[in-house]
Amino acid sequence: MRTELCDRFGIDYPIFVFTPSEKVAAAVSRAGGMGVLGCVRFNHPDDLDAVLRWMDENTDGKPYGVDVVMPAKVPTEGTAVDIDKLVPQDHRDFVTKTLADLGVPPLPEDAARNEGTLGWLHSIARSHVEVALKHPIKLIANALGSPPKDVIDQAHAVGVPVAALAGSAKHAQRHADNGVDIVIAQGHEAGGHTGEIGSVVLWPEIVDGLAESSPDTAVLAAGGIGTGRQVAAALALGASGVWMGSAFLTAQEYDLGVRSGEGPSVIQQALLAATSADTVRRRIYSGKPARLLKSRWTDAWDAEGAPDPLPMPLQNVLVSEAHQRMSASADPTTVAMPVGQIVGRMNQIRPAADIIAELVAGFEAATRRLDGIRDS
Ligand SMILES: Cc1cc2nc3c(=O)[nH]c(=O)nc-3n(C[C@H](O)[C@H](O)[C@H](O)COP(=O)(O)O)c2cc1C
């Protein structure tokens, strides 16, 4: 399974994995893929710097990348305190009542309160780029738009290619016009912020559009990939590689989220139990449409009388402590977690290297099957 991206990045397989966990990112890179660390959760650049130092020491010299979030349209800038003041009291009351109705316990008195995700403010995301470029990163990816031109130039000046997620052919073209090197064509079924068009329609549409106008722009296929057969489908539809997120949330190395004892975390327990029908695409996580695990929390926001979600970044500031309380509550029915429809196939906890090995084996089996069909 080699494409031109393997030579370009010095990786064995064109499998790029977005993950918020440095443990998973490092394991993916060590296993021959490209681990890409999500930076949005780092409100303080020093914390990111420390984690990237850990990555430098734990990737055996294999390449890794980072992912930042610079939305093309940012409604608000400011500190956590400034933004907090903009959250309406009615919304706060709804969250308080919902947590009480769902029986979610309060955090212990002495627990540090999560101040909300600020990494999608440009000021913070730029600090992520500054910090990341001091490390030997091999890729910067951006969600929710092209990064600003000066950020693209800054990355290119030190030879780091830039990728950006696109949910439509129009967005893909805009990225290419802005100087983005790799477009991640992300279908509707993906976890996290996602658009309206399904992967099987979107991937070839973006591949064909860019082949004509911007032949140097590579395309990664994302959204719904969890098996080697799906990797084969993505490459058959013209992508130069795949970009995955959800399937690695049940990697053994994934260590974010609270564990009650030895077994999987509460979040992983919820993911293992879910079917492909158990996701919803809602604005309640961040203010922009994102695919989430369906839970009693998402149901509460769908019920009559629930308020409309706030715009980004206010909504996450509103719900961040609620997310923290639900993750700590040991009740898998009330987690707030982005995940894609492939969650229905995420049925065991395994090392990231095993997931990669199965993707490669599944790809080979699928292509052998096709060879058999062609030759019969
Ligand atoms: C828990 C989670 C968090 C995500 N956060 C981000 C993010 O911060 N930045 C980003 O570019 N993409 C993010 N995504 C989307 C992934 O980069 C990726 O495009 C998506 O997971 C691919 O589809 P899949 O979930 O079907 O594999 C997230 C996805 C998940 C599941």
Side-chain angles (χ1 to χ4, degrees):
M1 191 204 290
R2 288 192 72 81
T3 69
E4 72 275 15
L5 292 181
C6 295
D7 297 329
R8 190 151 145 199
F9 286 100
I11 50 182
D12 296 334
Y13 312 113
I15 298 173
F16 292 67
V17 176
F18 166 90
T19 170
S21 156
E22 66 273 17
K23 305 275 166 39
V24 176
V28 166
S29 289
R30 289 195 307 267
M34 176 84 148
V36 182
L37 179 71
C39 297
V40 76
R41 72 182 168 92
F42 296 97
N43 285 358
H44 304 287
D46 290 349
D47 296 341
L48 174 62
D49 196 36
V51 164
L52 293 181
R53 251 182 282 133
W54 183 92
M55 292 277 297
D56 297 338
E57 286 160 14
N58 288 278
T59 35
D60 296 348
K62 299 282 179 71
Y64 74 89
V66 297
D67 176 281
V68 298
V69 183
M70 292 185 175
K73 294 180 196 134
V74 194
T76 312
E77 274 290 336
T79 64
V81 178
D82 298 336
I83 291 169
D84 199 50
K85 286 191 194 129
L86 301 173
V87 173
Q89 190 57 42
D90 284 359
H91 281 74
R92 290 188 196 283
D93 294 344
F94 171 78
V95 169
T96 306
K97 180 174 181 319
T98 302
L99 291 174
D101 292 350
L102 297 177
V104 179
L107 293 173
E109 283 287 306
D110 54 347
R113 267 33 181 194
N114 192 338
E115 59 186 346
T117 303
L118 301 177
W120 33 55
L121 300 179
H122 279 216
S123 49
I124 309 276
R126 277 178 183 274
S127 75
H128 294 157
V129 174
E130 295 292 335
V131 167
L133 287 175
K134 294 191 184 123
H135 293 264
I137 57 161
K138 294 290 182 272
L139 177 72
I140 295 182
N142 188 54
L144 300 176
S146 303
K149 178 151 185 355
D150 65 296
V151 172
I152 298 178
D153 292 346
Q154 201 184 349
H156 285 172
V158 289
V160 173
V162 175
L165 277 78
S168 71
K170 192 174 86 183
H171 290 159
Q173 188 58 56
R174 199 178 303 151
H175 291 329
D177 294 344
N178 289 338
V180 163
D181 307 280
I182 299 176
V183 167
I184 300 160
Q186 191 199 237
H188 182 66
E189 46 273 71
H193 295 120
T194 185
E196 304 271 9
I197 306 168
S199 291
V200 164
V201 172
L202 183 72
W203 298 338
E205 199 179 344
I206 289 186
V207 166
D208 291 351
L210 293 181
E212 207 154 285
S213 63
S214 322
D216 294 338
T217 311
V219 177
L220 292 176
I225 298 176
T227 66
R229 265 180 295 163
Q230 288 157 326
V231 175
L235 299 185
L237 290 170
S240 299
V242 297
W243 173 273
M244 300 169 60
S246 295
F248 286 82
L249 296 174
T250 43
Q252 204 163 56
E253 295 87 349
Y254 188 85
D255 61 344
L256 305 175
V258 174
R259 278 184 163 70
S260 51
E262 278 298 293
S265 67
V266 175
I267 284 174
Q268 285 181 323
Q269 288 170 35
L271 298 174
L272 291 172
T275 72
S276 57
D278 292 330
T279 70
V280 289
R281 183 172 168 271
R282 298 285 184 273
R283 292 203 298 115
I284 64 171
Y285 193 86
S286 69
K288 289 184 186 284
R291 186 172 301 287
L292 312 170
L293 188 67
K294 187 176 181 313
S295 68
R296 292 197 298 140
W297 169 250
T298 63
D299 290 346
W301 282 88
D302 283 346
E304 218 179 304
D308 282 342
L310 301 170
M312 181 181 268
L314 300 183
Q315 179 67 16
N316 191 265
V317 170
L318 168 70
V319 295
S320 62
E321 194 178 318
H323 287 176
Q324 197 180 0
R325 281 174 58 179
M326 288 187 286
S327 304
S329 81
D331 178 356
T333 68
T334 51
V335 299
M337 187 64 194
V339 74
Q341 293 175 340
I342 195 65
V343 70
R345 305 301 292 269
M346 292 158 49
N347 301 324
Q348 52 172 317
I349 305 289
R350 327 176 260 177
D354 289 9
I355 304 177
I356 300 265
E358 196 183 281
L359 291 169
V360 174
F363 167 84
E364 283 165 1
T367 50
R368 269 198 308 275
R369 179 169 170 269
L370 292 178
D371 285 346
I373 293 171
R374 189 195 52 211
D375 297 338
S376 63

